Amino acid sequence: MRWIGRHRASCIEETDRGQAIIYIGLDAHKDTIAVAVAEAGKRGEVREHGKVANTAAAVKALGVKLARGGNALRFCYEAGPCGYGIQRDLTAAGHDCVVVAPSLIPRKPGERIKTDRRDAINLASCTAQVS
């Protein structure tokens, strides 16, 4: 049994190159992007990473920061008025990125409060569960 950090290798999903996968949910708006991170194998633990500016340089810096340690990144964000610029920037940097229709994101009945942080966390957890 191999160990990666504090976790057994059997607890962490890996790519074919042996990299641990980190799932990132993005809630994009005109000026900022809310970021949430879900690490594979942490039993559904999702944490808020914060906000970054909605610029190509900030998105690239986010990818570099999260990819430290050789982790593979899988990004997900809602389709919206911001277009596919974020998706193009992330795929050009060599990361997987999925753009999801808002109508396809599962919501609990009666969940009426919608915030950037909650949306990003929901996207990260859904991406980790589907993959």
Side-chain angles (χ1 to χ4, degrees), residues 53-131:
N54 191 351
T55 62
V59 170
K60 184 177 178 181
L62 175 69
V64 169
K65 182 177 181 180
L66 293 174
R68 286 187 187 145
N71 297 319
L73 305 180
R74 294 203 178 145
F75 289 87
C76 177
Y77 74 97
E78 284 182 345
C82 295
Y84 288 89
I86 297 168
Q87 190 265 347
R88 286 187 206 106
D89 293 339
L90 291 170
T91 53
H95 305 297
D96 292 334
C97 183
V98 177
V99 181
V100 181
S103 61
L104 298 178
I105 299 170
R107 304 244 187 255
K108 294 178 186 171
E111 185 179 278
R112 300 176 68 95
I113 300 172
K114 189 169 170 0
T115 65
D116 299 343
R117 185 181 71 81
R118 283 186 184 181
D119 286 347
I121 288 171
N122 190 22
L123 285 167
S125 65
C126 288
T127 305
Q129 291 172 3
V130 170
S131 296

Side-chain angles (χ1 to χ4, degrees), residues 2 14-21 70-74 94-96:
R2 214 171 79 222
E14 294 183 358
T15 64
D16 56 350
R17 290 175 264 152
Q19 299 171 310
I21 299 173
N71 297 319
L73 305 180
R74 294 203 178 145
H95 305 297
D96 292 334

